[in-house]
Amino acid sequence: MKFFEIVYTMVSKIPSGRVATYGQIARMVGNPRASRAVGYALHVNPMPGAVPCHRVVNREGRLAPAFAFGGTDAQRQLLEAEGIAVSEDGYVDMKRYQWDGKTEEVRRFKKGEAPQETAQKEE
DNA sequence: AAAGTGACGTCCG
DNA sequence: GCGGACGCCACTT
């Protein structure tokens, strides 16, 4: 499983009406500092439909400045459509909409793919 | 092939 | 609390 694939998997598991941060996903994959790589992953492979990149925002709760096809505006539309309030500046209320990341699927996925203290095996 | 870059975040000073 | 530097992964020049 490649790093990017894990990122896509996690993002695709973000429930509707919730948002996640790059750093949050980075921790999930086992690299707390890989936030940049996470963003880049979504950037190079938007995977329309399968990976709701619009639900991923930065630590400030701001939407992507260069979101495809209309930038922040398009992303705002998608979020509002899911019931997420977005400011004119393109900010979302993190303390209200930030994803817990405690979904069953994610939990199992992390146990199986992100060995943290246990002895890990390299393929 | 090495260095630079990018939808970011954390650490150090 | 703020500013600067580094780290991450894949891609580009």
Side-chain angles (χ1 to χ4, degrees), chain A residues 10 13 17 23 31 37 51-52 57 67 87 91:
Chain A
M10 288 302 179
K13 284 172 171 45
N31 293 307
V51 181
V57 298
F67 194 74
S87 305
Y91 280 82

Side-chain angles (χ1 to χ4, degrees), chain A residues 43-90:
Chain A
H43 175 60
V44 296
N45 194 350
M47 271 206 186
V51 181
C53 10
H54 58 273
R55 292 183 195 148
V56 184
V57 298
N58 63 15
R59 202 67 183 89
E60 304 174 34
R62 190 177 107 261
L63 309 187
F67 194 74
F69 308 103
T72 319
D73 185 61
Q75 191 172 4
R76 184 197 305 169
Q77 303 302 318
L78 294 168
L79 291 172
E80 290 181 332
E82 298 184 353
I84 301 177
V86 183
S87 305
E88 320 307 320
D89 306 308

Side-chain angles (χ1 to χ4, degrees), chain A residues 10 13 28 99 101 103-110:
Chain A
M10 288 302 179
K13 284 172 171 45
M28 290 178 180
W99 179 38
T103 318
E104 279 294 327
E105 290 181 280
V106 176
R107 202 184 304 178
R108 295 190 305 126
F109 189 88
K110 294 202 312 185

